[in-house]
Amino acid sequence: MDILSTQNNTLPEGSQQLRTVPLVLKVAPKNTASELYKSEERFSLAMRGANDGLWDWDLEKDDVYYSPRWKSMLGYSEDELEHKLTTWETLVHPDDKDRVLEKIQDYLSGRANSFEVEMRMKHKNGHQIFVLSRALLVLREPDKKPTRLVGTHIDITERKKADVFNDKNAHVLEMIAMGRTAPEVYREIALMYEDRHPGLRCSMLELHGNKLLHGGAPSLPKEYCEAVHGLENGPSVGSCGTSTYTGKRVIVENIDTDPKWEKIKHVALPHGMRCCWSEPIKSSSGKVLGAFGMYYNHPAVPNKEESKDLTSAARLASIVMERDQAQKRIHSLAYTDGLTELPSRAYFYQKLEKTIRISDRYHRRFGLLYLDLDNFKSINDSLGHSTGDLLLKAIATRLKDACREDDFVARLSGDEFCIIVEGIDNYSTLNVAQRCLEAIAQPIELLSRKITPACSIGIAHYPDDGEDLSSLVKAADTSLYAAKENGRNQYTFYKPELTLKTEYRFQVEQYLREAIEKKQLTLVYQPQINVITGKIIGVEALSRWHHPVLGHVSPIYFIDTAERIGMIKPLTEWVLMTACRQAVTWKKHGFHNLHMAVNISPSHFIDKAIMPLIIHTIDETGIAPAELELEVTESVAQTDSRNLSIFKDLKDLGVKLAIDDFGTGYSSFSSLKHLNVDCLKIDKYFVDDMIADKKALTLISSMIEMGRNLGYKITAEGVETSEQFNVLKKIGCDNAQGYLFSKPVNANEISTLLEKQ
Ligand code: C2E
Ligand code: CA
Ligand code: CA
C-alpha cells in the first residue's frame, strides 16, 4: 500500500489543538508587526514544547528558516544545513517532492484552504523518516500578497511504521485465511519483522519428531538453511535446537562465544550471523511445533520491542504451522485408505488425472488395471467383516509386492483395487495382471480356515481405450465386468464390443428398478417331490422377469443386479408376500401340507430388517410359519454370531430353513452343527456328476448320510433323469426337485399337478 496516499487517515491525538494555532495566526496580518512578532515567538515556543520542527519560508526572498528541532528530527545539528529551499528539496523523498510542491501551490493560489501533507525525508543516518507537515500563509496588508509560509514538521515515523506493520500483519492473516501454503506465509512473516527491524533476519523451523526442518527464511543464505535442515534438537543445539527441546525462549547474545553454538557456529559465522534469539512455536495445546529465530549481524540481546515481536512472531507462525499440520493430517486421511494404507479412491482419481495430463503432453501410453476379488461378498458374509478386512489387508500387500515400485496401487472401495501402470513401452500390463492373479491366488489362512482367494481384472489403456478419466475408468470397469462374466479368476483387455454389454447392464439396472417398484415381476413354482411317495410336498418360488424391450432376463442376472443396485429387499418383500398368499390359496383349495420355499439373498438374510419382514408376511397372509421355508446359501450358515441369532429367532417363530446349493460354498458340516436348519438342498452340480463319476456318487452318498444323521431332510436339486432319481432313492435322499418332475411353472399349472395326484 502506498503510505503517502493516506491523507485522510485520522490525525494523531492532539491534532485538533494544533490546527487552532494557525487559525489564530491567520488573523495576524491584520495586527501590527510587533504583535505578529510576539505571536510568532509564542508559536515557536509552543512548537519547541510540542517537540515539533518549525520552518518559515520567506516567499519574497525565497529563503527558508529551519528550526533546530526541524534539523535534529533529521539528525542534523543547529549549525548544519543551509537555510534555503534546496535543503528541503534534497532531503525530501524524490517520489514525494512534486506532490508536496503541488500542494503548496494549491494552498498559495487559494485552490486549497489549508496545507497538510505527509512525506518521507532522508535522515542523516541514511534511513528514512515520515513527517507530517502543516503550514499557514502570512499575507501582507493591505494588498493581501502572500509573503511567508510558516509551518511545522511532526515526526510520524513510529505511527507510520505501526500502520505498515499492521497492514502487513493483516495481510499475513488474510493469507492464512485464504489457505495459502505454509512456505508462502512463512516468507511474509519473516519479511514483515525484518522490515520493522532493519538488519534483522528471521527464520522459521518446523519440528518433525526430533528433527528441525526448514520452514522459511527468505533472508538467510541457502547454505545455512540447508546445513540446519534435518538437525536433531537437544539441550544444547544452537538457539532453535535448544528452544524446541526445552520449550523455552533461548537468547544467544554472541554465537561465537555461546557454548550452545559450539558445535554449529561454523555454519553461521561465515554468513555474518552473530546473535540468535529463538522462541519455541507452540500449538494451541502447548505442543512444540517448531521455532522462530531472529538473527543480527552483531552481538545483541533483544530490546523491549524486539522481545515483544519475538513472542508475536512465534504466535503468528504457530497459527500457520498448526493449520499446516492439521491440513497434512486431513490430506493423509483423505488420501490413504485406512484399512490397507494404500492410496485412497480420492488419491487414485487425482493421480489418474495427473497421469493423463502428463501422458497427453509427452504422447505416452499407460495401462489401468481394475481389479475385484471374486466372491468377496460371500467371504465377508460368512466369515464376518473382521475376517474380510484381514483378507483385504493381505490382498493389498500381495498386490504391492506383485507390482513394481513405480506402479500405483490404490484401493477404491470394498474389494475393488486399481493399478496405474506407466512406462509400458518395455513393460506390459499383461505381465502385471498375470502376477496379480498369481499373487492373490495363494492360499491364506484366516481364523484357522484356509481360503484360496481369486480376483478378476479388467485392463484398459490410455489413450487407446479412453481419452479422458471417466471413459478410461469405464473401459477398465467394463473389462472387469467381462472378466467376471467369463467365469472370474482371469483378466480381460478392453474391447469396444464390451461397451455394448455395459450398456445392456445399465439398461437392466434401470428397467429392473422400475419393474420392482411397479411389481412387474412374476413368480413360478417348482414342485419338490417326496422320493418315496412320489407326491408333491412343497414348491420353490422362483422369480421371473420379462421386459418389453429386454425380453426374458435370467433370474441369476437380475437377482445379482438387484443386489448391486440395492433393490433386493423390495424384491424379496414382494416375493414373500406373493408366494405366501399363493400357499394360503392352495391350502384353501384343499391342498394341505405343502410348504412354500422362498429364496433369500445372503445380504438380506443377515440384515436386521429380515425378522420384522417375516413376521409381517406371516401376519398379513395368514400362512402357518411351519409352511414357510427360507432357502439361504451356505455362506450365511457360518458361525458368525450375528447370523446365529437370526437362525435362532426364525426357529423360535417356527419358520423352516433350508441350506441352498449345499456343497458349493465355504460351509462344512462342522459349522452346521451349531445351526438349527431343517433341510439341505444338494446342488445340481453333484447330481449331474453322480452317474458318470464314482467319486461324485461317494461324495453325495456321504453328504446324505451325514446330513440325515444330523437330523436334516435332504433335497436333491436339478434331477433330470429317472436314473438319477433311482440312485438318489437308493442312497436315502428324502426329496427331489428337477425337470424330471416339472420345470418351474405358474400357479395354475401347479394346481393342475396337485389335482392330478
Ligand atoms: P436356485 O435357488 O438354486 O434355484 C434352482 C434353479 O435351478 C432354478 O433356476 C431352477 O429353474 C433350476 N432348475 C431346477 N431344476 C432344474 C433341472 O432339472 N435342470 C436344470 N438345468 N435347472 C433346474 P432359476 O429359476 O433360473 O433361478 C436361478 C437362481 O436364481 C436360483 O437358483 C436362485 O438362486 C435365484 N433366484 C430365483 N428367484 C429368486 C428369488 O425370488 N429370490 C432370490 N433371492 N433368488 C432367486
Ligand atoms: Ca433355491
Ligand atoms: Ca439351489
Side-chain angles (χ1 to χ4, degrees):
M1 193 191 66
D2 180 8
I3 31 169
L4 285 165
S5 66
T6 57
Q7 299 285 315
N8 297 326
N9 271 1
T10 45
L11 293 164
E13 265 182 67
S15 62
Q16 234 18 64
Q17 211 183 346
L18 277 171
R19 186 175 290 233
T20 60
V21 177
L23 284 178
V24 174
L25 258 183
K26 195 128 197 184
V27 297
K30 287 185 187 160
N31 299 346
T32 63
S34 75
E35 272 174 295
L36 176 64
Y37 177 77
K38 271 185 211 157
S39 205
E40 272 174 47
E41 187 84 305
R42 282 198 299 274
F43 179 58
S44 176
L45 284 169
M47 289 305 100
R48 205 175 288 249
N51 205 22
D52 296 347
L54 178 81
W55 52 273
D56 184 348
W57 182 7
D58 186 326
L59 297 170
E60 285 168 332
K61 287 200 205 123
D62 209 23
D63 61 22
V64 190
Y65 165 76
Y66 301 108
S67 76
R69 174 59 191 138
W70 191 99
K71 291 180 184 174
S72 71
M73 210 177 268
L74 294 166
Y76 294 95
S77 65
E78 221 168 308
D79 47 9
E80 283 181 291
L81 299 176
E82 281 190 286
H83 287 268
K84 284 190 175 152
L85 184 63
T86 46
T87 300
W88 171 78
E89 280 174 338
T90 53
L91 292 173
V92 69
H93 193 290
D95 291 351
D96 295 349
K97 186 174 148 192
D98 290 345
R99 197 173 43 82
V100 176
L101 289 174
E102 216 170 278
K103 285 226 160 206
I104 291 174
Q105 210 46 54
D106 285 350
Y107 182 49
L108 290 178
S109 66
R111 280 195 296 276
N113 52 17
S114 67
F115 174 83
E116 182 172 315
V117 72
E118 288 180 8
M119 65 186 119
R120 288 167 291 182
M121 296 197 67
K122 205 163 128 196
H123 192 276
K124 193 177 178 184
N125 286 350
H127 66 268
Q128 93 190 358
I129 69 161
F130 287 90
V131 163
L132 171 68
S133 183
R134 296 201 186 98
L136 64 100
L137 206 50
V138 180
L139 305 176
R140 188 174 58 199
E141 287 296 342
D143 60 356
K144 302 266 195 284
K145 192 172 181 265
T147 53
R148 286 163 63 202
L149 196 59
V150 185
T152 58
H153 265 191
I154 305 170
D155 185 347
I156 55 166
T157 310
E158 284 310 307
R159 170 166 70 81
K160 274 291 172 193
K161 267 172 119 182
D163 282 354
V164 171
F165 185 76
N166 287 343
D167 285 346
K168 285 195 178 153
N169 209 45
H171 177 61
V172 167
L173 292 174
E174 202 176 287
M175 286 178 83
I176 298 172
M178 305 250 297
R180 301 288 287 271
T181 63
E184 281 178 301
V185 188
Y186 290 152
R187 190 188 144 78
E188 285 301 305
I189 295 176
L191 294 178
M192 174 171 86
Y193 285 98
E194 288 170 4
D195 210 39
R196 188 161 149 99
H197 303 284
L200 178 74
R201 290 190 279 178
C202 300
S203 86
M204 274 145 281
L205 292 168
E206 292 180 357
L207 185 67
H208 290 249
N210 61 350
K211 282 213 168 79
L212 294 170
L213 301 186
H214 174 73
S219 308
L220 289 179
K222 205 163 146 251
E223 302 91 83
Y224 177 73
C225 297
E226 276 165 8
V228 173
H229 184 76
L231 204 68
E232 274 186 26
N233 71 351
S236 193
V237 181
S239 303
C240 293
T242 309
S243 75
T244 51
Y245 186 82
T246 58
K248 294 200 175 79
R249 171 180 289 201
V250 171
I251 302 294
V252 168
E253 183 178 359
N254 191 340
I255 290 176
D256 201 9
T257 56
D258 195 299
K260 284 192 278 299
W261 276 83
E262 180 58 42
K263 288 206 190 85
I264 52 169
K265 67 177 175 190
H266 63 279
V267 296
L269 295 177
H271 300 291
M273 289 106 98
R274 281 297 175 278
C275 69
C276 177
W277 318 320
S278 172
E279 180 78 8
I281 298 171
K282 291 182 181 175
S283 74
S284 44
S285 62
K287 189 179 158 226
V288 176
L289 305 173
F292 195 100
M294 288 183 166
Y295 300 81
Y296 274 113
N297 284 4
H298 51 83
V301 290
N303 62 29
K304 220 167 134 195
E305 197 189 4
E306 286 161 340
S307 173
K308 235 175 73 192
D309 281 356
L310 187 55
T311 309
S312 66
R315 201 173 301 140
L316 199 55
S318 82
I319 301 174
V320 188
M321 248 172 227
E322 200 168 14
R323 186 210 58 177
D324 191 52
Q325 290 195 356
Q327 245 165 15
K328 284 188 180 136
R329 232 177 6 252
I330 292 168
H331 186 275
S332 101
L333 281 177
Y335 279 59
T336 46
D337 170 54
L339 178 70
T340 61
E341 281 169 16
L342 287 179
S344 68
R345 183 188 197 88
Y347 191 4
F348 165 73
Y349 278 110
Q350 198 188 59
K351 165 81 183 173
L352 185 58
E353 212 173 81
K354 200 166 150 196
T355 312
I356 289 178
R357 240 189 355 256
I358 291 171
S359 305
D360 181 41
R361 189 181 312 149
Y362 299 107
H363 305 289
R364 287 191 202 139
R365 292 172 76 232
F366 71 89
L368 173 63
L369 274 68
Y370 207 128
L371 189 147
D372 186 289
L373 292 187
D374 295 338
N375 301 318
F376 178 69
K377 218 162 97 57
S378 81
I379 294 173
N380 224 4
D381 288 344
S382 57
L383 303 183
H385 287 270
S386 49
T387 314
D389 285 354
L390 287 177
L391 178 62
L392 289 173
K393 276 193 191 173
I395 298 294
T397 314
R398 289 178 177 192
L399 285 178
K400 279 235 74 122
D401 292 347
C403 289
R404 294 175 308 174
E405 188 81 5
D406 293 346
D407 300 333
F408 184 87
V409 186
R411 177 176 175 228
L412 261 64
S413 65
D415 59 338
E416 287 179 12
F417 298 84
C418 268
I419 306 171
I420 298 174
V421 184
E422 290 180 85
I424 54 171
D425 298 338
N426 44 20
Y427 181 69
S428 81
T429 43
L430 182 128
N431 286 337
V432 186
Q434 228 146 19
R435 280 206 307 271
C436 290
L437 280 184
E438 277 162 27
I440 286 186
Q442 298 307 309
I444 182 170
E445 206 170 284
L446 296 170
L447 294 183
S448 63
R449 227 176 248 268
K450 206 171 189 173
I451 289 176
T452 306
C455 72
S456 305
I457 305 173
I459 308 169
H461 289 101
Y462 174 87
D464 323 45
D465 305 330
E467 290 187 3
D468 56 53
L469 187 142
S470 76
S471 49
L472 186 66
V473 172
K474 210 163 140 192
D477 186 35
T478 303
S479 328
L480 167 65
Y481 202 78
K484 293 255 177 207
E485 276 195 325
N486 291 344
R488 308 179 167 190
N489 196 17
Q490 55 186 281
Y491 54 81
T492 303
F493 284 94
Y494 177 77
K495 289 191 291 284
E497 303 91 89
L498 295 177
T499 301
L500 294 174
K501 283 194 180 171
T502 314
E503 274 158 20
Y504 176 76
R505 183 160 59 120
F506 283 143
Q507 271 189 332
V508 170
E509 286 177 3
Q510 247 170 17
Y511 290 139
L512 181 65
R513 198 181 291 278
E514 192 184 318
I516 294 171
E517 274 161 7
K518 295 188 176 161
K519 303 193 174 23
Q520 289 166 344
L521 272 58
T522 50
L523 279 187
V524 289
Y525 304 91
Q526 189 176 34
Q528 296 175 336
I529 312 294
N530 178 299
V531 170
I532 309 293
T533 64
K535 290 230 158 102
I536 299 172
I537 48 125
V539 295
E540 175 179 2
L542 292 158
S543 301
R544 291 292 178 264
W545 181 34
H546 185 89
H547 186 267
V549 176
L550 302 172
H552 175 80
V553 183
S554 138
I556 300 184
Y557 193 73
F558 73 75
I559 293 293
D560 197 51
T561 307
E563 292 198 27
R564 197 175 53 241
I565 63 172
M567 289 300 282
I568 194 68
K569 282 195 208 171
L571 183 142
T572 311
E573 270 168 43
W574 171 81
V575 175
L576 273 168
M577 206 57 92
T578 313
C580 291
R581 281 210 184 97
Q582 185 59 57
V584 172
T585 308
W586 277 323
K587 199 171 183 177
K588 278 191 194 142
H589 284 85
F591 305 126
H592 293 279
N593 302 325
L594 279 182
H595 70 244
M596 175 60 75
V598 174
N599 293 287
I600 308 286
S601 293
S603 64
H604 193 188
F605 187 78
I606 58 170
D607 193 281
K608 283 195 295 293
I610 192 74
M611 274 312 288
L613 174 63
I614 301 296
I615 295 169
H616 175 72
T617 310
I618 292 170
D619 289 351
E620 192 79 358
T621 59
I623 191 171
E627 284 166 9
L628 174 60
E629 185 166 273
L630 303 181
E631 293 192 2
V632 291
T633 51
E634 286 176 90
S635 62
V636 294
Q638 301 297 323
T639 43
D640 188 2
S641 58
R642 280 177 313 159
N643 307 353
L644 278 175
S645 72
I646 293 170
F647 274 90
K648 191 178 170 300
D649 291 349
L650 287 169
K651 273 289 90 191
D652 290 348
L653 198 63
V655 170
K656 293 225 160 62
L657 283 167
I659 301 296
D660 205 355
D661 305 338
F662 188 77
T664 57
Y666 288 106
S667 111
S668 65
F669 277 103
S670 67
S671 67
L672 286 179
K673 72 173 187 274
H674 306 279
L675 300 171
N676 212 343
V677 303
D678 302 275
C679 176
L680 298 185
K681 295 189 78 180
I682 295 180
D683 195 77
K684 180 173 182 298
Y685 171 81
F686 299 97
V687 177
D688 279 349
D689 286 3
M690 185 176 73
I691 304 294
D693 184 351
K694 263 225 161 330
K695 262 197 206 150
L697 181 62
T698 316
L699 205 65
I700 201 168
S701 308
S702 41
M703 276 201 261
I704 292 174
E705 198 187 320
M706 263 162 80
R708 291 189 64 152
N709 286 341
L710 287 164
Y712 309 132
K713 289 269 181 235
I714 313 292
T715 301
E717 284 190 289
V719 182
E720 291 179 342
T721 66
S722 23
E723 207 183 351
Q724 290 170 335
F725 179 67
N726 290 331
V727 175
L728 286 167
K729 198 169 175 176
K730 224 163 72 193
I731 59 177
C733 183
D734 300 289
N735 308 314
Q737 180 183 346
Y739 291 177
L740 177 65
F741 317 104
S742 168
K743 287 197 166 183
V745 291
N746 64 36
N748 288 339
E749 287 175 70
I750 293 288
S751 303
T752 315
L753 285 174
L754 288 167
E755 271 157 16
K756 264 199 212 152
Q757 61 177 26

